[in-house]
Amino acid sequence: MRNHTPVTEFLLMGLPHTNGLENVLFVVFLAFYSLTLLGNLLILLAILTSSSLHTPMYFFLGNLSVFDIFFPSVSSPKMMLSLVGPSRTISYQGCACQLFFYHFLGCTECFLFTVMGYDRFAAICHPLRYTVIMNRRACAVMTLGTWLGSCVHASVLTFLIFKLPYCGPNEVDSFFCDIPVVLPLACADTSLAQLVSFTSVGVVALMCFLLILASYTRIVISVLKISSSEGRRRAFSTCSAHLTSILLYYGPVILIYLRPASSPWLDSVVPVFNNIVTPSLNPLIYTLRNKDVKLALRKALIQGLQTCKG
């Protein structure tokens, strides 16, 4: 090991089979990234300015919007710069930061979906006690626990990956630094890091999925007991956006980390979908079917225009 020079930077190889399409992809990814930022900022504006949306459900939706602003920002700007610029390098420290924030924010989303599932369970199964169960203190504790737990999770993974020596090659077979593409570059035994990272990601994802499944099992049982079809439709409509977002989250997680065999096509397409496309869809999912958010957003925009004219 003393005869090798430690790696000080990594080379991001980017997306495969995109020669000649760099400018087109840059425009497409920039459009998705801009849509993500704009959509989530508008949701935050609606929640902050409308007192009718100061409820636990929209408090957690605001947290999800904050996540959807930061998560694509971990990898998208660097990827877009590499499409139109000559340099594809990222420093050793920058690579470590990408990996940390990717898993920090990804784990945060997983925990947030679990908390949002519990919120819907409390609202539908215990409507009379909902305000007591989901009081301000409970919401604050759950949110703080979500962010702190994610920070611990990401810190452990980042420490395990980057305590290993890297002495070349330094070519990362992706457009950002993540465990499956960085770990094979280590010039030491990676079995412990592989085991811990696979177990950690798998346990967190599986635990959250089972808790969400338990919440929605109770919700379905309670909804089926409602006598009127209109009442059942309203109850299910409050959960449809959340369920859609969960499917969009767990699909890429399973395909990236928990599948047994590797596929070059999936290895390139799924991360793009997870990092760029999905965060831009969440604002549409939560606004198109939500009259309260649309009304609050319309009022906020009208007030803003009136203020600008005044």
Side-chain angles (χ1 to χ4, degrees):
M1 295 299 298
R2 287 194 299 268
N3 295 330
H4 295 279
T5 303
V7 168
T8 59
E9 63 181 19
F10 292 96
L11 180 63
L12 299 175
M13 301 306 293
L15 300 172
H17 312 301
T18 57
N19 292 335
L21 299 174
E22 289 84 358
N23 292 333
V24 175
L25 290 175
F26 174 81
V27 173
V28 171
F29 292 153
L30 180 62
F32 272 110
Y33 186 56
S34 302
L35 180 63
T36 298
L37 297 181
L38 177 62
N40 285 289
L41 286 172
L42 288 176
I43 287 182
L44 280 175
L45 175 66
I47 293 173
L48 292 173
T49 57
S50 177
S51 57
S52 63
L53 299 184
H54 293 174
T55 63
M57 174 182 173
Y58 295 108
F59 173 73
F60 295 126
L61 178 57
N63 275 269
L64 184 63
S65 294
V66 172
F67 157 83
D68 281 331
I69 291 172
F70 286 115
F71 185 69
S73 301
V74 172
S75 59
S76 296
K78 183 68 177 177
M79 180 191 64
M80 288 187 289
L81 285 174
S82 67
L83 285 172
V84 295
S87 176
R88 292 189 175 187
T89 60
I90 184 171
S91 67
Y92 183 89
Q93 293 80 7
C95 188
C97 286
Q98 269 197 344
L99 190 144
F100 170 80
F101 283 107
Y102 181 77
H103 284 273
F104 168 57
L105 294 167
C107 186
T108 299
E109 184 180 29
C110 189
F111 287 154
L112 269 177
F113 282 139
T114 307
V115 172
M116 292 171 77
Y118 178 74
D119 173 71
R120 292 299 82 208
F121 158 74
I124 294 174
C125 299
H126 302 284
L128 300 179
R129 298 176 54 221
Y130 176 66
T131 55
V132 177
I133 297 172
M134 300 300 293
N135 56 63
R136 288 187 177 183
R137 182 177 179 181
C139 292
V141 169
M142 284 189 284
T143 303
L144 184 61
T146 291
W147 291 93
L148 288 178
S150 303
C151 185
V152 172
H153 169 79
S155 298
V156 171
L157 292 180
T158 306
F159 172 77
L160 283 174
I161 302 303
F162 284 93
K163 78 167 185 176
L164 296 169
Y166 291 87
C167 45
N170 66 339
E171 295 180 349
V172 176
D173 193 21
S174 182
F175 60 90
F176 74 109
C177 293
D178 193 15
I179 295 172
V181 291
V182 172
L183 199 55
L185 302 179
C187 47
D189 182 19
T190 62
S191 57
L192 177 61
Q194 284 180 327
L195 177 63
V196 173
S197 60
F198 179 85
T199 304
S200 181
V201 172
V203 166
V204 169
L206 181 61
M207 178 186 68
C208 291
F209 177 77
L210 291 177
L211 289 173
I212 294 170
L213 184 63
S215 295
Y216 274 97
T217 300
R218 293 289 303 276
I219 288 172
V220 170
I221 293 173
S222 297
V223 169
L224 291 177
K225 293 179 180 179
I226 299 175
S227 56
S228 66
S229 59
E230 179 64 19
R232 289 195 296 270
R233 188 190 65 79
R234 286 184 179 180
F236 278 126
S237 67
T238 63
C239 304
S240 59
H242 183 229
L243 286 173
T244 304
S245 294
I246 289 171
L247 291 175
L248 289 173
Y249 171 79
Y250 272 98
V253 169
I254 293 171
L255 291 173
I256 294 173
Y257 298 103
L258 304 180
R259 57 192 167 91
S262 178
S263 168
W265 185 81
L266 286 177
D267 288 341
S268 59
V269 173
V270 174
V272 170
F273 185 85
N274 187 44
N275 289 27
I276 299 172
V277 179
T278 301
S280 69
L281 295 178
N282 279 338
L284 298 176
I285 292 169
Y286 281 99
T287 55
L288 290 178
R289 295 177 58 86
N290 194 308
K291 295 180 181 178
D292 294 334
V293 174
K294 287 191 286 188
L295 180 61
L297 186 57
R298 191 178 298 115
K299 287 182 179 179
L301 293 176
I302 291 173
Q303 290 175 356
L305 291 174
Q306 290 176 345
T307 303
C308 292
K309 289 179 181 180

